[in-house]
Amino acid sequence: MLSRPKIGILGSGKGSNMVALHQAVQEGRLDADIALVISDVQEAGILEQASKMGLKHIYLAPGPYRTKLDEQAELSYLQHLQGAGVQWVVLAGFMRILKGEFLRVFHHRVINIHPSLLPSFPGLEAWKQALDYGVKFTGCTVHLVDQGIDTGPIIMQQTVPVSEEDTPQSLHARIQQAEHETYPLAVQKALHSQLKIQGRLCTAEEAG
Ligand code: GRF
């Protein structure tokens, strides 16, 4: 039987990826325990969803900056995650950049999902960037978080076709469906195979 690593989920939005991860845990597709859900937004849907699902959850103030945690907030996030015994941090729509001490403590153990096929369209509203550019395929990418923005080693990707009728909303919805399939698979892979990171490359070996 596979061990059950503890994961902490960080999110700022509606939390649909967290729901998909929770469902995968319930259905035995993801061998992990969701030990804690943290949001930097007090009224975020992700906290409401976590409450409905009976998951331990907390709002932690992010400090004065708009795009990152201040030093004190970063410490408090770390303390709560470590206090809950978290081994892997899974970002599910967390709208702040994690850096420095956080990434040192959870080295190669912070996972993110991004709504495009990286390295195309990093940053905000990636589905809109894809539509504006005119690509025929986009998708989602699960990657390890490094010091850059959406630049870390890629664990898994899924393609999504773009149709001529798409609006930003319809394309985003289709990408989110792909995210909900891919994220549990990718997290399972990260947690239960030996990830080998060589520069940008991330390969997985079956754990012995
Ligand atoms: C997802 O589209 C993800 O790719 C991005 O933020 C969004 C979060 O959505 N990083 P949700 O809160 O999981 O519904």
Side-chain angles (χ1 to χ4, degrees):
M1 206 175 87
L2 291 173
S3 62
R4 296 185 68 79
K6 291 190 174 173
I7 63 176
I9 299 182
L10 268 53
S12 313
K14 64 181 191 291
S16 69
N17 278 285
M18 188 214 50
V19 172
L21 291 166
H22 176 69
Q23 266 167 11
V25 169
Q26 300 286 89
E27 291 165 13
R29 290 179 284 120
L30 173 56
D31 296 295
D33 288 322
I34 301 175
L36 181 60
V37 176
I38 307 180
S39 183
D40 58 329
V41 177
Q42 204 152 16
E43 63 282 4
I46 193 169
L47 292 178
E48 207 180 307
Q49 294 287 359
S51 157
K52 272 193 207 150
M53 297 185 306
L55 296 172
K56 200 169 151 201
H57 59 283
I58 183 173
Y59 158 73
L60 288 180
Y65 304 110
R66 210 169 44 85
T67 56
K68 62 175 187 176
L69 299 174
D70 75 352
E71 224 170 277
Q72 216 185 328
E74 185 185 75
L75 251 183
S76 132
Y77 274 65
L78 277 174
Q79 277 166 1
H80 279 85
L81 290 165
Q82 289 176 315
V86 164
Q87 294 149 295
W88 287 83
V89 177
V90 178
L91 305 182
F94 190 61
M95 297 306 284
R96 286 169 196 275
I97 300 157
L98 296 169
K99 281 188 175 286
E101 183 61 10
F102 197 101
L103 295 184
R104 264 191 296 280
V105 172
F106 285 104
H107 183 63
H108 286 163
R109 280 175 174 256
V110 183
I111 307 172
N112 185 41
I113 188 155
H114 181 78
S116 76
L117 294 176
L118 290 170
S120 292
F121 314 128
L124 295 176
E125 298 194 321
W127 58 90
K128 194 164 177 301
Q129 295 184 50
L131 207 56
D132 290 347
Y133 195 95
V135 292
K136 305 299 181 204
F137 283 91
T138 182
C140 63
T141 302
V142 180
H143 65 94
L144 293 173
V145 174
D146 66 7
Q147 298 279 346
I149 297 177
D150 304 323
T151 52
I154 291 171
I155 301 170
M156 202 177 274
Q157 295 185 298
Q158 185 174 328
T159 54
V160 170
V162 180
S163 104
E164 283 175 12
E165 286 77 45
D166 265 326
T167 61
Q169 293 72 24
S170 67
L171 182 56
H172 188 208
R174 196 168 327 108
I175 293 172
Q176 283 231 294
Q177 276 174 18
E179 290 184 336
H180 301 159
E181 286 168 27
T182 306
Y183 215 2
L185 288 173
V187 172
Q188 175 76 359
K189 179 173 168 181
L191 269 51
H192 294 289
S193 53
Q194 306 281 2
L195 290 187
K196 260 182 51 190
I197 318 292
Q198 280 176 314
R200 290 213 35 75
L201 296 186
C202 175
T203 51
E205 285 172 8
E206 284 310 307

